Amino acid sequence: MKLQIINGPNINLLGKREPSIYGSVSFEEYLTDLQTRYPDIEFSYFQSNVEGEMINKIHEAGFDMDGIILNAGAYTHTSIAIQDAIRAVTAPVIEVHISNVHSREAFRHKSMIAAACKGVICGFGMNSYRLAIESFLD
């Protein structure tokens, strides 16, 4: 199985950014744990703070991968273009969030991309990614 993980804005700051919300582990450290836990899965990882680069990666991976795990960060709440990119590809996409976006500011309660995704997982910390992986295995 081949899974593409795409992380959006500010995920490059995990481990440094608001550790009370996002924890103290970088995504690269967590990815190493995922690779160890799931040795039969080929993971590809991409992070960008730029919406267009994320769309390009969805297009690139969306026909070759078995699935995409997408944490679009703040673009979740604003990007119709990312929703359109998800709809344009054949790979199923799981939207993930580290924090429970529904317990945060009201503007975070609406996802512009959820309707195009196979499912949404939020609020389980970094384990949100693991749960997304498990959904592809079932």
Side-chain angles (χ1 to χ4, degrees):
M1 176 174 285
K2 298 188 314 184
L3 296 178
Q4 174 72 56
I5 298 172
I6 301 174
N7 280 335
N10 301 309
I11 304 299
N12 58 305
L13 297 178
L14 287 180
K16 301 173 187 172
R17 172 189 179 207
E18 299 176 275
S20 63
I21 295 173
Y22 299 105
S24 58
V25 175
S26 73
F27 190 81
E28 289 77 8
E29 292 171 301
Y30 184 67
L31 181 58
T32 299
D33 291 343
L34 291 176
Q35 291 166 327
T36 300
R37 184 176 191 140
Y38 300 99
D40 295 333
I41 297 177
E42 180 184 327
F43 292 101
S44 296
Y45 177 57
F46 179 79
Q47 188 279 326
S48 179
N49 295 316
V50 179
E51 181 181 26
E53 291 176 1
M54 293 173 62
I55 291 167
N56 288 342
K57 183 54 76 173
I58 292 167
H59 290 174
E60 178 186 314
F63 296 98
D64 297 327
M65 294 290 182
D66 296 305
I68 297 172
I69 298 169
L70 173 62
N71 183 340
Y75 289 132
T76 299
H77 318 292
T78 63
S79 183
I80 295 168
I82 290 176
Q83 181 193 117
D84 288 346
I86 294 167
R87 289 187 189 281
V89 300
T90 56
V93 176
I94 302 292
E95 176 186 338
V96 301
H97 299 283
I98 296 166
S99 68
N100 180 353
V101 293
H102 303 288
S103 68
R104 299 183 63 196
E105 304 92 339
F107 71 86
R108 296 186 194 275
H109 298 179
K110 174 73 173 156
S111 170
M112 298 300 288
I113 65 174
C117 293
K118 177 182 177 185
V120 179
I121 300 169
C122 70
F124 293 96
M126 297 293 253
N127 275 323
S128 293
Y129 293 90
R130 182 185 58 76
L131 294 169
I133 293 165
E134 290 291 329
S135 78
F136 285 115
L137 294 175
D138 284 341

